[in-house]
Amino acid sequence: MSDGYASYLNLWQDVFSGNLTGIAPHPWMLVMDAVIRHFGSIGHASAELSKSIRRLWGVSLEEIASALEIPDGGLFMQAEVEQRVQASYVASRLIVVTALDELRMSPPRREQGPHCTPLDLSEPTPFGSWLSPATQAELREHTMDANFPPALFRELAKDVSRYEIDANVHIDRIMIEKYVESLPDELLEVMFKEQSWSRSSWLAKELRRRENEWSQNRSLTCRTC
């Protein structure tokens, strides 16, 4: 038992009552963005939050992860700041919230307590992307509805290949291929028009695949006519 664990258990009550609105996938991404802005870098944010967690819980991050069966193990703090955690996963977020509350950097709540200072959130803008806010929002919604981490949305908004996405987000390119195949034609067409894409990019390859598939289906249809 520790202050950190007691806070963690109380936070679950906030989750079930609907008070802790800031841990839903979309606002949590904005929370992590605000934390990185505050500390100046991903590395500094991860280090400061990790120190707060160890101070509150009195044990290492590895011990916490083992006791609570956190998938990323002792690296869960780094994974959260880098936004590589599945959209639906909550447990490691609540551990991070215990640290944020101690540092008076509270995620959004329906009712903010006297000890909480809400973070100043702003809409995400993926570095290296020129997609319009509306297109980004649609891509983000599809990605999180499919339970992929926010980091995948950021990668898909950029002119990168599936191999680069795999290396940056640690999601197998086969899973990425299957996911992008499910994205609507209209969304991909708008994305293609709003910024430039290289031939090796995930988007250019997916559009070529769809064009080839359409041509083959059309050819088969013509043969049966």
Side-chain angles (χ1 to χ4, degrees):
M1 183 55 71
S2 64
D3 289 342
Y5 186 52
S7 297
Y8 171 80
L9 295 178
N10 286 329
L11 287 172
W12 275 109
Q13 293 182 320
D14 280 352
V15 172
F16 292 128
S17 69
N19 185 43
L20 189 56
T21 57
I23 63 161
H26 176 70
W28 184 249
M29 177 174 59
L30 305 186
V31 166
M32 289 293 94
D33 284 353
V35 169
I36 294 168
R37 284 196 305 272
H38 176 84
F39 288 110
S41 70
I42 288 176
H44 194 195
S46 179
E48 291 301 315
L49 291 173
S50 296
K51 283 195 292 187
S52 176
I53 291 171
R54 287 192 293 268
R55 187 165 57 245
L56 284 166
W57 292 68
V59 293
S60 68
L61 270 62
E62 289 79 5
E63 290 174 284
I64 295 172
S66 176
L68 300 180
E69 300 182 350
I70 305 296
D72 289 287
L75 298 176
F76 72 84
M77 183 66 261
Q78 185 76 17
E80 284 289 357
V81 177
E82 292 178 351
Q83 301 185 26
R84 292 187 288 101
V85 180
Q86 284 182 307
S88 65
Y89 196 71
V90 174
S92 59
R93 288 181 202 170
L94 296 186
I95 299 172
V96 177
V97 174
T98 65
L100 292 174
D101 284 348
E102 190 216 19
L103 296 170
R104 297 190 177 275
M105 300 170 62
S106 173
R109 288 171 162 89
R110 293 189 189 279
E111 297 180 10
Q112 291 285 355
H115 65 289
C116 297
T117 303
L119 280 163
D120 183 21
L121 308 185
S122 60
E123 284 299 306
T125 304
F127 178 76
S129 174
W130 296 95
L131 297 178
S132 67
T135 302
Q136 287 186 34
E138 184 177 354
L139 176 61
R140 185 169 64 246
E141 182 177 354
H142 280 288
T143 304
M144 293 192 179
D145 283 351
N147 199 28
F148 283 104
L152 178 59
F153 147 68
R154 295 183 188 278
E155 291 297 311
L156 292 174
K158 301 186 295 187
D159 177 19
V160 292
S161 70
R162 291 165 185 170
Y163 293 97
E164 290 174 288
I165 296 174
D166 183 356
N168 294 338
V169 189
H170 309 300
I171 298 176
D172 187 87
R173 63 182 180 82
I174 303 301
M175 292 181 64
I176 297 170
E177 288 173 6
K178 290 188 176 299
Y179 169 59
V180 300
E181 287 176 8
S182 72
L183 292 172
D185 291 339
E186 297 79 5
L187 173 59
L188 298 190
E189 289 167 3
V190 170
M191 290 175 64
F192 189 74
K193 293 175 182 176
E194 288 188 349
Q195 68 182 32
S196 60
W197 301 84
S198 63
R199 286 183 58 81
S200 63
S201 68
W202 71 269
L203 179 58
K205 287 190 173 183
E206 176 58 18
L207 289 176
R208 286 199 299 273
R209 186 197 67 79
R210 295 188 188 200
E211 288 172 2
N212 291 336
E213 186 178 73
W214 180 83
S215 297
Q216 291 172 3
N217 291 338
R218 186 164 181 261
S219 177
L220 287 172
T221 302
C222 290
R223 288 177 190 174
T224 58
C225 291

